Amino acid sequence: MYHFKIVKVQEGGYKFELEGIKLLVDDYRVINDKHILKTPTKAIAFFNIGEDIYGVSNESLNLDTAEALYDTMTRQYSVFISPGANPIS
């Protein structure tokens, strides 16, 4: 199980945070050490690089756990933070 910092947001739903990546989900349950998303297609993942925000909707991916969505976003995040990366090419 990933040790997300999970906060209930005032507008509804939850914000998961771990190592610079944030997920917004409407609801979840923990089953077998996984955060199962109640409505996976409504989840989004994002991160900030400087003043820019990069994100992805889970609508087309339809990943059913916060862990799977986090892993997908981590691969994108690594492109921007790897040594020698220049996202403004």
Side-chain angles (χ1 to χ4, degrees), residues 20-48:
I21 296 175
K22 300 165 189 76
L23 312 176
L24 295 176
V25 305
D26 65 341
D27 203 0
Y28 70 98
R29 298 177 294 179
V30 176
I31 299 174
N32 296 327
D33 290 333
K34 299 283 185 188
H35 297 87
I36 307 296
L37 304 176
K38 180 179 177 183
T39 314
T41 57
K42 291 185 177 181
I44 63 168
F46 64 97
F47 58 85
N48 299 67

PDB file of all heavy atoms in Angstrom, residues 20-48:
ATOM      1  N   GLY A  20       5.280  14.738  -4.667  1.00  0.00           N
ATOM      2  CA  GLY A  20       5.074  15.737  -5.706  1.00  0.00           C
ATOM      3  C   GLY A  20       3.920  15.467  -6.652  1.00  0.00           C
ATOM      4  O   GLY A  20       3.586  16.306  -7.480  1.00  0.00           O
ATOM      5  N   ILE A  21       3.305  14.312  -6.546  1.00  0.00           N
ATOM      6  CA  ILE A  21       2.179  13.969  -7.411  1.00  0.00           C
ATOM      7  C   ILE A  21       0.896  14.002  -6.587  1.00  0.00           C
ATOM      8  O   ILE A  21       0.867  13.515  -5.460  1.00  0.00           O
ATOM      9  CB  ILE A  21       2.386  12.587  -8.057  1.00  0.00           C
ATOM     10  CG1 ILE A  21       3.609  12.655  -8.978  1.00  0.00           C
ATOM     11  CG2 ILE A  21       1.135  12.135  -8.814  1.00  0.00           C
ATOM     12  CD1 ILE A  21       4.004  11.369  -9.596  1.00  0.00           C
ATOM     13  N   LYS A  22      -0.132  14.591  -7.182  1.00  0.00           N
ATOM     14  CA  LYS A  22      -1.417  14.719  -6.502  1.00  0.00           C
ATOM     15  C   LYS A  22      -2.504  14.047  -7.334  1.00  0.00           C
ATOM     16  O   LYS A  22      -2.479  14.102  -8.559  1.00  0.00           O
ATOM     17  CB  LYS A  22      -1.753  16.194  -6.297  1.00  0.00           C
ATOM     18  CG  LYS A  22      -0.727  16.919  -5.451  1.00  0.00           C
ATOM     19  CD  LYS A  22      -0.881  18.428  -5.580  1.00  0.00           C
ATOM     20  CE  LYS A  22       0.257  19.160  -4.933  1.00  0.00           C
ATOM     21  NZ  LYS A  22       1.495  19.154  -5.699  1.00  0.00           N
ATOM     22  N   LEU A  23      -3.443  13.415  -6.652  1.00  0.00           N
ATOM     23  CA  LEU A  23      -4.595  12.800  -7.295  1.00  0.00           C
ATOM     24  C   LEU A  23      -5.850  13.391  -6.679  1.00  0.00           C
ATOM     25  O   LEU A  23      -5.892  13.612  -5.467  1.00  0.00           O
ATOM     26  CB  LEU A  23      -4.629  11.282  -7.058  1.00  0.00           C
ATOM     27  CG  LEU A  23      -3.362  10.470  -7.299  1.00  0.00           C
ATOM     28  CD1 LEU A  23      -3.594   9.025  -6.904  1.00  0.00           C
ATOM     29  CD2 LEU A  23      -2.948  10.562  -8.741  1.00  0.00           C
ATOM     30  N   LEU A  24      -6.851  13.650  -7.490  1.00  0.00           N
ATOM     31  CA  LEU A  24      -8.160  14.056  -7.006  1.00  0.00           C
ATOM     32  C   LEU A  24      -9.140  12.953  -7.362  1.00  0.00           C
ATOM     33  O   LEU A  24      -9.245  12.559  -8.531  1.00  0.00           O
ATOM     34  CB  LEU A  24      -8.595  15.380  -7.630  1.00  0.00           C
ATOM     35  CG  LEU A  24      -7.769  16.599  -7.266  1.00  0.00           C
ATOM     36  CD1 LEU A  24      -8.260  17.819  -8.034  1.00  0.00           C
ATOM     37  CD2 LEU A  24      -7.804  16.870  -5.771  1.00  0.00           C
ATOM     38  N   VAL A  25      -9.837  12.440  -6.348  1.00  0.00           N
ATOM     39  CA  VAL A  25     -10.798  11.350  -6.555  1.00  0.00           C
ATOM     40  C   VAL A  25     -12.092  11.696  -5.825  1.00  0.00           C
ATOM     41  O   VAL A  25     -12.077  12.453  -4.859  1.00  0.00           O
ATOM     42  CB  VAL A  25     -10.245   9.996  -6.060  1.00  0.00           C
ATOM     43  CG1 VAL A  25      -8.898   9.687  -6.706  1.00  0.00           C
ATOM     44  CG2 VAL A  25     -10.120   9.944  -4.558  1.00  0.00           C
ATOM     45  N   ASP A  26     -13.209  11.141  -6.283  1.00  0.00           N
ATOM     46  CA  ASP A  26     -14.469  11.444  -5.619  1.00  0.00           C
ATOM     47  C   ASP A  26     -14.657  10.612  -4.355  1.00  0.00           C
ATOM     48  O   ASP A  26     -15.138  11.110  -3.351  1.00  0.00           O
ATOM     49  CB  ASP A  26     -15.662  11.306  -6.565  1.00  0.00           C
ATOM     50  CG  ASP A  26     -15.890   9.886  -7.057  1.00  0.00           C
ATOM     51  OD1 ASP A  26     -14.964   9.072  -6.985  1.00  0.00           O
ATOM     52  OD2 ASP A  26     -17.006   9.609  -7.534  1.00  0.00           O
ATOM     53  N   ASP A  27     -14.260   9.354  -4.381  1.00  0.00           N
ATOM     54  CA  ASP A  27     -14.366   8.496  -3.202  1.00  0.00           C
ATOM     55  C   ASP A  27     -13.522   7.246  -3.437  1.00  0.00           C
ATOM     56  O   ASP A  27     -13.152   6.946  -4.577  1.00  0.00           O
ATOM     57  CB  ASP A  27     -15.817   8.106  -2.954  1.00  0.00           C
ATOM     58  CG  ASP A  27     -16.090   7.700  -1.503  1.00  0.00           C
ATOM     59  OD1 ASP A  27     -15.141   7.724  -0.681  1.00  0.00           O
ATOM     60  OD2 ASP A  27     -17.241   7.354  -1.192  1.00  0.00           O
ATOM     61  N   TYR A  28     -13.227   6.530  -2.375  1.00  0.00           N
ATOM     62  CA  TYR A  28     -12.390   5.333  -2.483  1.00  0.00           C
ATOM     63  C   TYR A  28     -12.668   4.396  -1.310  1.00  0.00           C
ATOM     64  O   TYR A  28     -13.273   4.780  -0.306  1.00  0.00           O
ATOM     65  CB  TYR A  28     -10.907   5.716  -2.503  1.00  0.00           C
ATOM     66  CG  TYR A  28     -10.403   6.225  -1.168  1.00  0.00           C
ATOM     67  CD1 TYR A  28      -9.730   5.372  -0.288  1.00  0.00           C
ATOM     68  CD2 TYR A  28     -10.616   7.536  -0.767  1.00  0.00           C
ATOM     69  CE1 TYR A  28      -9.288   5.829   0.945  1.00  0.00           C
ATOM     70  CE2 TYR A  28     -10.178   7.994   0.453  1.00  0.00           C
ATOM     71  CZ  TYR A  28      -9.510   7.137   1.316  1.00  0.00           C
ATOM     72  OH  TYR A  28      -9.084   7.591   2.542  1.00  0.00           O
ATOM     73  N   ARG A  29     -12.210   3.168  -1.454  1.00  0.00           N
ATOM     74  CA  ARG A  29     -12.223   2.167  -0.387  1.00  0.00           C
ATOM     75  C   ARG A  29     -10.866   1.494  -0.378  1.00  0.00           C
ATOM     76  O   ARG A  29     -10.225   1.389  -1.435  1.00  0.00           O
ATOM     77  CB  ARG A  29     -13.276   1.083  -0.645  1.00  0.00           C
ATOM     78  CG  ARG A  29     -14.684   1.568  -0.702  1.00  0.00           C
ATOM     79  CD  ARG A  29     -15.617   0.437  -1.031  1.00  0.00           C
ATOM     80  NE  ARG A  29     -15.309  -0.015  -2.413  1.00  0.00           N
ATOM     81  CZ  ARG A  29     -15.897  -0.992  -3.029  1.00  0.00           C
ATOM     82  NH1 ARG A  29     -16.817  -1.690  -2.430  1.00  0.00           N
ATOM     83  NH2 ARG A  29     -15.568  -1.331  -4.250  1.00  0.00           N
ATOM     84  N   VAL A  30     -10.434   1.028   0.768  1.00  0.00           N
ATOM     85  CA  VAL A  30      -9.188   0.269   0.849  1.00  0.00           C
ATOM     86  C   VAL A  30      -9.549  -1.213   0.891  1.00  0.00           C
ATOM     87  O   VAL A  30     -10.261  -1.657   1.787  1.00  0.00           O
ATOM     88  CB  VAL A  30      -8.355   0.670   2.089  1.00  0.00           C
ATOM     89  CG1 VAL A  30      -7.110  -0.198   2.194  1.00  0.00           C
ATOM     90  CG2 VAL A  30      -7.979   2.145   2.026  1.00  0.00           C
ATOM     91  N   ILE A  31      -9.069  -1.942  -0.112  1.00  0.00           N
ATOM     92  CA  ILE A  31      -9.299  -3.381  -0.199  1.00  0.00           C
ATOM     93  C   ILE A  31      -7.977  -4.023  -0.593  1.00  0.00           C
ATOM     94  O   ILE A  31      -7.345  -3.617  -1.576  1.00  0.00           O
ATOM     95  CB  ILE A  31     -10.384  -3.729  -1.246  1.00  0.00           C
ATOM     96  CG1 ILE A  31     -11.718  -3.080  -0.867  1.00  0.00           C
ATOM     97  CG2 ILE A  31     -10.523  -5.238  -1.397  1.00  0.00           C
ATOM     98  CD1 ILE A  31     -12.810  -3.253  -1.914  1.00  0.00           C
ATOM     99  N   ASN A  32      -7.541  -5.021   0.176  1.00  0.00           N
ATOM    100  CA  ASN A  32      -6.290  -5.730  -0.095  1.00  0.00           C
ATOM    101  C   ASN A  32      -5.121  -4.762  -0.275  1.00  0.00           C
ATOM    102  O   ASN A  32      -4.328  -4.885  -1.225  1.00  0.00           O
ATOM    103  CB  ASN A  32      -6.419  -6.637  -1.324  1.00  0.00           C
ATOM    104  CG  ASN A  32      -7.424  -7.745  -1.117  1.00  0.00           C
ATOM    105  OD1 ASN A  32      -7.590  -8.244  -0.008  1.00  0.00           O
ATOM    106  ND2 ASN A  32      -8.109  -8.126  -2.168  1.00  0.00           N
ATOM    107  N   ASP A  33      -5.014  -3.790   0.606  1.00  0.00           N
ATOM    108  CA  ASP A  33      -3.927  -2.800   0.603  1.00  0.00           C
ATOM    109  C   ASP A  33      -3.876  -1.950  -0.659  1.00  0.00           C
ATOM    110  O   ASP A  33      -2.814  -1.466  -1.050  1.00  0.00           O
ATOM    111  CB  ASP A  33      -2.567  -3.473   0.825  1.00  0.00           C
ATOM    112  CG  ASP A  33      -2.421  -3.991   2.253  1.00  0.00           C
ATOM    113  OD1 ASP A  33      -3.055  -3.426   3.162  1.00  0.00           O
ATOM    114  OD2 ASP A  33      -1.647  -4.942   2.457  1.00  0.00           O
ATOM    115  N   LYS A  34      -4.992  -1.760  -1.320  1.00  0.00           N
ATOM    116  CA  LYS A  34      -5.097  -0.882  -2.492  1.00  0.00           C
ATOM    117  C   LYS A  34      -6.221   0.116  -2.247  1.00  0.00           C
ATOM    118  O   LYS A  34      -7.243  -0.215  -1.645  1.00  0.00           O
ATOM    119  CB  LYS A  34      -5.417  -1.670  -3.769  1.00  0.00           C
ATOM    120  CG  LYS A  34      -4.376  -2.688  -4.151  1.00  0.00           C
ATOM    121  CD  LYS A  34      -3.188  -2.033  -4.788  1.00  0.00           C
ATOM    122  CE  LYS A  34      -2.203  -3.091  -5.264  1.00  0.00           C
ATOM    123  NZ  LYS A  34      -0.973  -2.541  -5.710  1.00  0.00           N
ATOM    124  N   HIS A  35      -6.032   1.330  -2.746  1.00  0.00           N
ATOM    125  CA  HIS A  35      -7.067   2.359  -2.680  1.00  0.00           C
ATOM    126  C   HIS A  35      -7.918   2.231  -3.946  1.00  0.00           C
ATOM    127  O   HIS A  35      -7.530   2.727  -5.004  1.00  0.00           O
ATOM    128  CB  HIS A  35      -6.441   3.752  -2.586  1.00  0.00           C
ATOM    129  CG  HIS A  35      -5.644   3.957  -1.348  1.00  0.00           C
ATOM    130  ND1 HIS A  35      -4.302   3.607  -1.261  1.00  0.00           N
ATOM    131  CD2 HIS A  35      -5.994   4.477  -0.148  1.00  0.00           C
ATOM    132  CE1 HIS A  35      -3.866   3.916  -0.050  1.00  0.00           C
ATOM    133  NE2 HIS A  35      -4.863   4.443   0.642  1.00  0.00           N
ATOM    134  N   ILE A  36      -9.050   1.559  -3.839  1.00  0.00           N
ATOM    135  CA  ILE A  36      -9.938   1.300  -4.965  1.00  0.00           C
ATOM    136  C   ILE A  36     -10.793   2.550  -5.208  1.00  0.00           C
ATOM    137  O   ILE A  36     -11.464   3.039  -4.295  1.00  0.00           O
ATOM    138  CB  ILE A  36     -10.862   0.090  -4.694  1.00  0.00           C
ATOM    139  CG1 ILE A  36     -10.052  -1.137  -4.273  1.00  0.00           C
ATOM    140  CG2 ILE A  36     -11.748  -0.189  -5.907  1.00  0.00           C
ATOM    141  CD1 ILE A  36      -9.103  -1.667  -5.308  1.00  0.00           C
ATOM    142  N   LEU A  37     -10.754   3.073  -6.422  1.00  0.00           N
ATOM    143  CA  LEU A  37     -11.498   4.280  -6.763  1.00  0.00           C
ATOM    144  C   LEU A  37     -12.964   3.947  -6.998  1.00  0.00           C
ATOM    145  O   LEU A  37     -13.284   3.020  -7.751  1.00  0.00           O
ATOM    146  CB  LEU A  37     -10.899   4.928  -8.006  1.00  0.00           C
ATOM    147  CG  LEU A  37      -9.403   5.264  -7.916  1.00  0.00           C
ATOM    148  CD1 LEU A  37      -8.907   5.812  -9.246  1.00  0.00           C
ATOM    149  CD2 LEU A  37      -9.143   6.236  -6.784  1.00  0.00           C
ATOM    150  N   LYS A  38     -13.855   4.715  -6.361  1.00  0.00           N
ATOM    151  CA  LYS A  38     -15.289   4.469  -6.510  1.00  0.00           C
ATOM    152  C   LYS A  38     -15.739   4.748  -7.944  1.00  0.00           C
ATOM    153  O   LYS A  38     -16.481   3.973  -8.536  1.00  0.00           O
ATOM    154  CB  LYS A  38     -16.080   5.342  -5.538  1.00  0.00           C
ATOM    155  CG  LYS A  38     -17.567   5.154  -5.633  1.00  0.00           C
ATOM    156  CD  LYS A  38     -18.314   6.008  -4.639  1.00  0.00           C
ATOM    157  CE  LYS A  38     -19.816   5.829  -4.819  1.00  0.00           C
ATOM    158  NZ  LYS A  38     -20.549   6.711  -3.911  1.00  0.00           N
ATOM    159  N   THR A  39     -15.290   5.871  -8.500  1.00  0.00           N
ATOM    160  CA  THR A  39     -15.614   6.233  -9.878  1.00  0.00           C
ATOM    161  C   THR A  39     -14.305   6.566 -10.593  1.00  0.00           C
ATOM    162  O   THR A  39     -13.910   7.726 -10.674  1.00  0.00           O
ATOM    163  CB  THR A  39     -16.567   7.448  -9.909  1.00  0.00           C
ATOM    164  OG1 THR A  39     -17.613   7.254  -8.967  1.00  0.00           O
ATOM    165  CG2 THR A  39     -17.152   7.641 -11.302  1.00  0.00           C
ATOM    166  N   PRO A  40     -13.610   5.553 -11.106  1.00  0.00           N
ATOM    167  CA  PRO A  40     -12.282   5.778 -11.696  1.00  0.00           C
ATOM    168  C   PRO A  40     -12.247   6.836 -12.794  1.00  0.00           C
ATOM    169  O   PRO A  40     -11.277   7.580 -12.909  1.00  0.00           O
ATOM    170  CB  PRO A  40     -11.905   4.407 -12.260  1.00  0.00           C
ATOM    171  CG  PRO A  40     -12.733   3.428 -11.518  1.00  0.00           C
ATOM    172  CD  PRO A  40     -13.999   4.146 -11.165  1.00  0.00           C
ATOM    173  N   THR A  41     -13.293   6.939 -13.602  1.00  0.00           N
ATOM    174  CA  THR A  41     -13.269   7.875 -14.726  1.00  0.00           C
ATOM    175  C   THR A  41     -13.311   9.340 -14.292  1.00  0.00           C
ATOM    176  O   THR A  41     -13.017  10.228 -15.082  1.00  0.00           O
ATOM    177  CB  THR A  41     -14.428   7.609 -15.704  1.00  0.00           C
ATOM    178  OG1 THR A  41     -15.662   7.700 -14.992  1.00  0.00           O
ATOM    179  CG2 THR A  41     -14.286   6.242 -16.344  1.00  0.00           C
ATOM    180  N   LYS A  42     -13.645   9.604 -13.034  1.00  0.00           N
ATOM    181  CA  LYS A  42     -13.680  10.979 -12.530  1.00  0.00           C
ATOM    182  C   LYS A  42     -12.357  11.406 -11.896  1.00  0.00           C
ATOM    183  O   LYS A  42     -12.202  12.565 -11.530  1.00  0.00           O
ATOM    184  CB  LYS A  42     -14.799  11.145 -11.505  1.00  0.00           C
ATOM    185  CG  LYS A  42     -16.182  11.057 -12.105  1.00  0.00           C
ATOM    186  CD  LYS A  42     -17.225  11.350 -11.051  1.00  0.00           C
ATOM    187  CE  LYS A  42     -18.618  11.333 -11.634  1.00  0.00           C
ATOM    188  NZ  LYS A  42     -19.631  11.637 -10.615  1.00  0.00           N
ATOM    189  N   ALA A  43     -11.410  10.500 -11.747  1.00  0.00           N
ATOM    190  CA  ALA A  43     -10.137  10.809 -11.089  1.00  0.00           C
ATOM    191  C   ALA A  43      -9.196  11.544 -12.035  1.00  0.00           C
ATOM    192  O   ALA A  43      -9.205  11.302 -13.245  1.00  0.00           O
ATOM    193  CB  ALA A  43      -9.477   9.522 -10.601  1.00  0.00           C
ATOM    194  N   ILE A  44      -8.399  12.434 -11.465  1.00  0.00           N
ATOM    195  CA  ILE A  44      -7.347  13.099 -12.227  1.00  0.00           C
ATOM    196  C   ILE A  44      -6.065  13.061 -11.416  1.00  0.00           C
ATOM    197  O   ILE A  44      -6.083  12.954 -10.189  1.00  0.00           O
ATOM    198  CB  ILE A  44      -7.698  14.561 -12.599  1.00  0.00           C
ATOM    199  CG1 ILE A  44      -7.871  15.422 -11.347  1.00  0.00           C
ATOM    200  CG2 ILE A  44      -8.916  14.629 -13.472  1.00  0.00           C
ATOM    201  CD1 ILE A  44      -7.924  16.902 -11.645  1.00  0.00           C
ATOM    202  N   ALA A  45      -4.941  13.134 -12.108  1.00  0.00           N
ATOM    203  CA  ALA A  45      -3.620  13.181 -11.473  1.00  0.00           C
ATOM    204  C   ALA A  45      -2.882  14.380 -12.043  1.00  0.00           C
ATOM    205  O   ALA A  45      -3.044  14.717 -13.215  1.00  0.00           O
ATOM    206  CB  ALA A  45      -2.849  11.900 -11.753  1.00  0.00           C
ATOM    207  N   PHE A  46      -2.072  15.029 -11.199  1.00  0.00           N
ATOM    208  CA  PHE A  46      -1.324  16.185 -11.684  1.00  0.00           C
ATOM    209  C   PHE A  46      -0.089  16.428 -10.838  1.00  0.00           C
ATOM    210  O   PHE A  46       0.058  15.879  -9.739  1.00  0.00           O
ATOM    211  CB  PHE A  46      -2.207  17.436 -11.730  1.00  0.00           C
ATOM    212  CG  PHE A  46      -2.713  17.906 -10.391  1.00  0.00           C
ATOM    213  CD1 PHE A  46      -2.066  18.919  -9.704  1.00  0.00           C
ATOM    214  CD2 PHE A  46      -3.837  17.342  -9.818  1.00  0.00           C
ATOM    215  CE1 PHE A  46      -2.528  19.366  -8.476  1.00  0.00           C
ATOM    216  CE2 PHE A  46      -4.319  17.773  -8.589  1.00  0.00           C
ATOM    217  CZ  PHE A  46      -3.656  18.792  -7.926  1.00  0.00           C
ATOM    218  N   PHE A  47       0.821  17.237 -11.383  1.00  0.00           N
ATOM    219  CA  PHE A  47       2.002  17.687 -10.654  1.00  0.00           C
ATOM    220  C   PHE A  47       2.370  19.066 -11.168  1.00  0.00           C
ATOM    221  O   PHE A  47       1.920  19.487 -12.235  1.00  0.00           O
ATOM    222  CB  PHE A  47       3.174  16.709 -10.803  1.00  0.00           C
ATOM    223  CG  PHE A  47       3.603  16.445 -12.212  1.00  0.00           C
ATOM    224  CD1 PHE A  47       4.494  17.282 -12.870  1.00  0.00           C
ATOM    225  CD2 PHE A  47       3.128  15.335 -12.891  1.00  0.00           C
ATOM    226  CE1 PHE A  47       4.899  17.023 -14.175  1.00  0.00           C
ATOM    227  CE2 PHE A  47       3.520  15.066 -14.197  1.00  0.00           C
ATOM    228  CZ  PHE A  47       4.410  15.916 -14.841  1.00  0.00           C
ATOM    229  N   ASN A  48       3.173  19.784 -10.392  1.00  0.00           N
ATOM    230  CA  ASN A  48       3.641  21.114 -10.751  1.00  0.00           C
ATOM    231  C   ASN A  48       5.128  21.064 -11.040  1.00  0.00           C
ATOM    232  O   ASN A  48       5.879  20.420 -10.323  1.00  0.00           O
ATOM    233  CB  ASN A  48       3.438  22.102  -9.596  1.00  0.00           C
ATOM    234  CG  ASN A  48       2.000  22.262  -9.214  1.00  0.00           C
ATOM    235  OD1 ASN A  48       1.381  21.332  -8.717  1.00  0.00           O
ATOM    236  ND2 ASN A  48       1.469  23.433  -9.442  1.00  0.00           N
TER     237      ASN A  48
END
